[in-house]
Amino acid sequence: MTASRPATDPQAAANRAANTPLDGRRVRVAVVGAGAIARGGHQPALARLADEGETETVAAVDIAEDAVRAFCSEAGIPRAYTDQDRMLEEQRPDLVAVCTPPTLHRTQAVAALRAGAWVWCEKPPVPTLADFDAVEAAEGTDGGPYAAIVFQHRFGSGARHVRHLISERVMGRPLVAHCQTTWYRDADYYAAPWRGRWATEGGGPAMGHGIHQMDLLLDLLGPWTEVRAMTARLVHDVETEDVSTALVRFANGALATVVNSVLSPDEVSRIRVDCERATVELTHLYGHGNDNWRITPAPGVPDVDVTAWRDFGVDVPSSHLAQLRDLVACMRAGERPRGSGADGRTSLELITALYKSAFTDTTVRAGEIGPGDPYYTALHGGAPGWAPAGTRTAGTEVPA
């Protein structure tokens, strides 16, 4: 994107947002980034809600003028821009969907928030906890605007039902869990110069691929307390890892294993939680519906209980649409949406702790990584063998 002009005063933006209620009118949306995720994820969801009278997409932005004009033509979006600040000033959107690479998310989200717009930002949210905290600091108070991360796997009927079963201890205490994102990416995938690099992709499979299942695991089990991890480069010539494993302890006492890989020809995304009275398992790849969940009772559990557990209701698949519906409802109510603030930060904190644990060979505890910690501002933490050559961290430099 082009360089930003001075940001709008946050209080003025908050006052303007408070003076433009959404009751009785469509939510005005702008899409920033005209690539594959905007076309395949955001725009179909926005179009569906537009058909229902909830939203209208008023503009799109991309630094590549031909790309944004083509996107606008395909999607019926009336105005194309190559400058986000100009778009914010002229269009005054209520919501900005950020669909760009993660290194741009902080600047673009902060600019939108300071202009009074809510933000819906693709994952990975931002490259570091320092960036996330800067975005959160730009949010409004008492009704927004807020910035939510696209964690669509949390949404839909299956995740909602299982979250209720676990949080209410209907199946007893959660005891053991497994979170698996084992995918396959070949050398051609990493031929793109920005992939496999800390500065441009944000991290390896723990950050760029497994974040969805890890976020869903946290949404189901609640706060984590400590992590012990290992990472490796086993196949690809990259800066980041191509596989990671971790052991995670949760505040409720449950223990979990987490595996993230791009080396696995038999691709699967899986979460399994063993509770006292049943095992619940989700098996899918890039999205799930009710049929992707399975509940296996322990011996002796009454049939009436099992029948109730297996009643997921009307099937609402996980999707951008499912999350967008929730987000728009929160905007109209002036409430903080799920996947924002502390709730949106928790998976990024776990991933940061996973890298720190692996690179320092230590157990890392929740809340440990803050300002002054090298992992707060870089996921590689300046660790020898992992940080890019020439990286300076805490007065040291990784040799070139």
Side-chain angles (χ1 to χ4, degrees):
M1 302 305 300
T2 53
S4 294
R5 292 189 288 270
T8 303
D9 175 69
Q11 186 58 53
N15 291 341
R16 196 193 79 216
N19 291 329
T20 55
L22 296 174
D23 291 344
R25 69 174 180 86
R26 292 173 182 258
V27 173
R28 291 169 51 82
V29 184
V31 179
V32 178
I37 194 62
R39 286 179 157 87
H42 289 250
Q43 183 53 34
L46 289 166
R48 177 67 178 273
L49 287 193
D51 289 342
E52 298 173 7
E54 286 285 346
T55 64
E56 59 175 328
T57 304
V58 298
V61 185
D62 197 285
I63 195 169
E65 185 171 2
D66 289 347
V68 71
R69 289 191 180 281
F71 176 53
C72 287
S73 177
E74 294 165 8
I77 300 172
R79 298 170 187 85
Y81 289 85
T82 57
D83 185 311
Q84 179 185 349
D85 291 327
R86 181 180 174 189
M87 180 278 295
L88 291 170
E89 180 66 27
E90 294 181 0
Q91 298 303 320
R92 306 284 184 172
D94 304 304
L95 174 65
V96 172
V98 176
C99 308
T100 53
T103 52
L104 300 173
H105 290 176
R106 171 178 173 169
T107 299
Q108 293 169 339
V110 167
L113 289 165
R114 288 179 174 172
W118 292 50
V119 172
W120 191 32
C121 182
E122 263 301 328
K123 66 85 189 168
V126 282
T128 69
L129 290 172
D131 293 322
F132 192 97
D133 291 347
V135 172
E136 188 174 3
E139 293 181 328
T141 57
D142 298 328
Y146 300 117
I149 310 306
V150 177
F151 285 138
Q152 75 271 23
H153 289 207
R154 292 188 184 194
F155 294 81
S157 52
R160 180 176 63 248
H161 179 64
V162 172
R163 185 169 53 252
H164 167 75
L165 294 179
I166 293 176
S167 65
E168 297 299 319
R169 303 289 176 94
V170 175
M171 301 180 297
R173 291 183 300 128
L175 304 172
V176 182
H178 177 66
C179 179
Q180 176 183 353
T181 304
T182 44
W183 294 355
Y184 186 80
R185 299 294 184 266
D186 60 16
D188 288 343
Y189 176 84
Y190 284 104
W194 61 272
R195 288 193 170 125
R197 297 181 181 276
W198 297 107
T200 48
E201 195 169 22
M207 180 69 157
H209 303 85
I211 189 171
H212 275 305
Q213 296 316 296
M214 295 166 73
D215 181 76
L216 178 55
L217 181 72
L218 291 168
D219 195 49
L220 296 176
L221 290 184
W224 64 277
T225 59
E226 59 181 306
V227 59
R228 185 69 188 240
M230 299 176 70
T231 59
R233 300 186 195 99
L234 298 182
V235 173
H236 298 293
D237 182 16
V238 292
E239 288 181 353
T240 65
E241 86 287 3
D242 56 16
V243 62
S244 69
T245 63
L247 303 176
V248 183
R249 189 187 304 275
F250 286 82
N252 60 21
L255 298 179
T257 62
V258 178
V259 179
N260 301 300
S261 165
V262 289
L263 310 178
S264 309
D266 183 10
E267 295 187 292
V268 69
S269 304
R270 179 180 291 123
I271 286 179
R272 170 178 169 142
V273 181
D274 297 320
C275 299
E276 291 174 301
R277 303 181 67 209
T279 292
V280 57
E281 187 170 16
L282 167 66
T283 305
H284 67 113
L285 189 55
Y286 299 133
H288 55 84
N290 288 353
D291 289 345
N292 296 111
W293 295 84
R294 185 180 65 177
I295 296 178
T296 303
V301 172
D303 290 344
V304 64
D305 289 350
V306 178
T307 299
W309 297 346
R310 291 175 173 168
D311 182 5
F312 283 73
V314 176
D315 189 12
V316 179
S318 67
S319 65
H320 282 73
L321 176 61
Q323 183 173 4
L324 183 61
R325 287 190 192 281
D326 188 85
L327 175 59
V328 169
C330 289
M331 291 179 68
R332 295 194 184 282
E335 298 174 350
R336 177 176 287 282
R338 294 176 60 205
S340 71
D343 182 51
R345 191 182 191 272
T346 181
S347 56
L348 180 59
E349 185 185 7
L350 176 59
I351 291 165
T352 306
L354 183 155
Y355 283 125
K356 180 177 180 179
S357 173
F359 299 162
T360 61
D361 193 26
T362 59
T363 297
V364 178
R365 291 169 175 78
E368 174 181 317
I369 301 173
D373 189 307
Y375 290 87
Y376 181 71
T377 52
L379 289 185
H380 55 70
W386 290 102
T391 300
R392 291 183 178 273
T393 303
T396 64
E397 182 172 349
V398 178

